[in-house]
Amino acid sequence: MRYFFYCLFVFLLFGCAAIPFQSAKINGVSFVASRGVVDSSHVKPLVQINANAAAVMPFGFIRDQNHPEVTHNTKRQWYGETRSGAKQYIEALHQENIRVMVKPQLWISHGDFTGFLKADTETDWELLEASYSDFILKYAALAEELNVEVFCIGTELEEFIKNRPEYWHQLIKEIRTIYTGKLTYAANWDEFWTTPFWPELDYVGVDAYFPVSDMQTPSIEDCIKGWEKHKEGLKEFSKKLDRQILFTEYGYRSVDYTGKEPWRYDRSMTSVNLDAQNNATKALFDAVWDEDWFAGGYLWKWFINHDEVGGIENNQFTPQNKPVEAIIRSHYERKFN
């Protein structure tokens, strides 16, 4: 009998140790679609920064506000933006134990902001709704087929939701008949307060470009102070809905004033300020990541060809081959182990 208990102890000790620990937090990146297929060499850099999750982002396209039909999965799109590309990306990520959120997104010609998308007539509304449902439900089916962990039903569509709330309630019901994993929606940072369907989803998703500092090179301390005016509201909102907050996007450009209007991506901002990106990112980790109401987030953004992007002369969002990459690696390691 003593030998039996000894064997049981050894089995539990070493057997459990063989099971990789999964962090309760989503330590993710936004995995940008590309022209070609993904293999382990493209996924390994995610493993090396200790990421445990990635958002895969297929695209639908709208010509303009006067023609609000969503087209998708066409031969004109990059491979990673299509259904077959998304499937291949998901399989490659899962192969490396990276959990996936499928996050279908819209692109309106000329880069018009999706938050302003709305139709002028009932006929156009019905066209938009029917084509958007076709787009989303096809990717919900793919997510279910591949056991995807999280599915995002839309990204920054404030006017569409405000004007057609009943459509969205019905869409969520239809998605639930197809997909059995966790659902979220990616609301803009100033939109999520009024999104009407959070009780029907599993996470409150926020594209977290909250302004946190007016400094040219914001200090960590100043950004943490800037987060204080947002954190209490997020905490109370999470408590009210009994849902964790998920940052469906977060991140900072390596430019001057990166904490002032973090959503800006226009090329008129030409400076390179690596310290600003470092400090704002570190402050977000310090201010938010350990909060009980916070589920984690997906860094914006991560390109598949790691060795060819980013770098110390790059002033865009990507952390790749910049000093901030080490900050992310260290933080994700701390939260992974």
Side-chain angles (χ1 to χ4, degrees):
M1 182 62 71
R2 184 180 300 171
Y3 178 74
F4 168 78
F5 283 114
Y6 172 77
C7 291
L8 179 62
F9 171 77
V10 171
F11 171 76
L12 290 172
L13 178 64
F14 292 98
C16 291
I19 300 172
F21 175 80
Q22 292 293 325
S23 170
K25 299 291 186 182
I26 293 171
N27 298 327
V29 301
S30 299
F31 200 57
V32 179
S34 183
R35 295 178 186 272
V37 300
V38 165
D39 59 34
S40 61
S41 70
H42 301 115
V43 182
K44 289 294 186 185
L46 274 67
V47 177
Q48 290 165 358
I49 64 162
N50 302 302
N52 62 16
V56 171
M57 299 170 291
F59 268 83
F61 295 86
I62 292 178
R63 183 164 37 152
D64 56 50
Q65 296 269 12
N66 297 318
H67 302 85
E69 181 179 12
V70 180
T71 60
H72 62 96
N73 203 39
T74 70
K75 293 181 179 179
R76 297 178 62 186
Q77 293 179 245
W78 284 8
Y79 176 70
E81 296 173 344
T82 66
R83 189 183 189 281
S84 57
K87 180 177 181 180
Q88 197 271 322
Y89 282 24
I90 294 163
E91 290 172 336
L93 290 160
H94 275 171
Q95 188 68 29
E96 298 293 335
N97 296 314
I98 301 292
R99 291 175 268 174
V100 173
M101 174 173 69
V102 171
K103 185 169 176 268
Q105 299 197 183
L106 293 181
W107 178 263
I108 305 174
S109 294
H110 311 298
D112 291 349
F113 178 45
T114 55
F116 299 148
L117 174 64
K118 60 181 179 180
D120 294 326
T121 67
E122 183 62 24
T123 299
D124 281 349
W125 273 120
E126 291 174 1
L127 176 62
L128 173 58
E129 290 172 353
S131 59
Y132 189 81
S133 291
D134 181 68
F135 173 52
I136 287 296
L137 294 174
K138 279 186 168 58
Y139 282 104
L142 178 66
E144 179 68 13
E145 175 189 339
L146 299 180
N147 296 313
V148 165
E149 290 81 357
V150 184
F151 184 76
C152 183
I153 69 171
T155 299
E156 297 180 9
L157 295 168
E158 183 175 9
E159 287 295 326
F160 189 175
I161 292 166
K162 183 190 301 182
N163 283 276
R164 307 293 280 194
E166 290 307 314
Y167 163 77
W168 285 89
H169 292 301
Q170 183 59 37
L171 177 64
I172 292 166
K173 290 178 182 177
E174 292 181 53
I175 293 169
R176 290 287 192 193
T177 68
I178 295 170
Y179 175 71
T180 56
K182 302 290 188 181
L183 289 184
T184 192
Y185 162 72
N188 202 18
W189 68 275
D190 58 354
E191 165 197 355
F192 73 96
W193 306 103
T194 58
T195 303
F197 45 69
W198 292 128
E200 298 156 54
L201 305 182
D202 300 290
Y203 295 113
V204 175
V206 182
D207 287 354
Y209 302 109
F210 295 92
V212 292
S213 174
D214 290 337
M215 296 175 65
Q216 181 175 355
T217 301
S219 66
I220 296 171
E221 294 75 15
D222 192 59
C223 290
I224 290 175
K225 183 179 178 181
W227 270 107
E228 292 303 320
K229 63 179 176 284
H230 306 297
K231 283 175 58 177
E232 191 59 34
L234 288 164
K235 178 181 177 180
E236 290 304 313
F237 199 69
S238 172
K239 182 178 179 181
K240 175 184 174 183
L241 291 168
D242 193 27
R243 299 288 187 277
Q244 281 189 302
I245 308 289
L246 175 65
F247 284 178
T248 38
E249 293 176 19
Y250 78 92
Y252 300 93
R253 287 181 60 183
S254 44
V255 291
D256 292 341
Y257 302 102
T258 192
K260 185 175 183 179
E261 296 175 324
W263 59 88
R264 286 186 61 184
Y265 61 89
D266 60 89
R267 298 191 180 276
S268 65
M269 301 170 71
T270 58
S271 64
V272 176
N273 191 331
L274 300 171
D275 288 336
Q277 184 181 44
N278 292 346
N279 293 347
T281 303
K282 180 70 163 57
L284 185 151
F285 289 153
D286 290 348
V288 171
W289 222 266
D290 288 332
E291 296 290 337
D292 291 339
W293 51 262
F294 183 67
Y298 300 86
L299 183 75
W300 188 263
K301 55 190 174 174
W302 192 275
F303 296 92
I304 70 168
N305 296 315
H306 178 65
D307 293 339
E308 302 172 14
V309 299
I312 60 173
E313 299 300 322
N314 177 278
N315 66 10
Q316 297 301 307
F317 281 97
T318 181
Q320 291 166 274
N321 302 300
K322 299 178 184 177
V324 74
E325 187 177 335
I327 294 171
I328 296 160
R329 182 187 306 114
S330 176
H331 178 80
Y332 277 6
E333 180 180 31
R334 183 170 65 89
K335 297 303 175 188
F336 197 86
N337 295 306

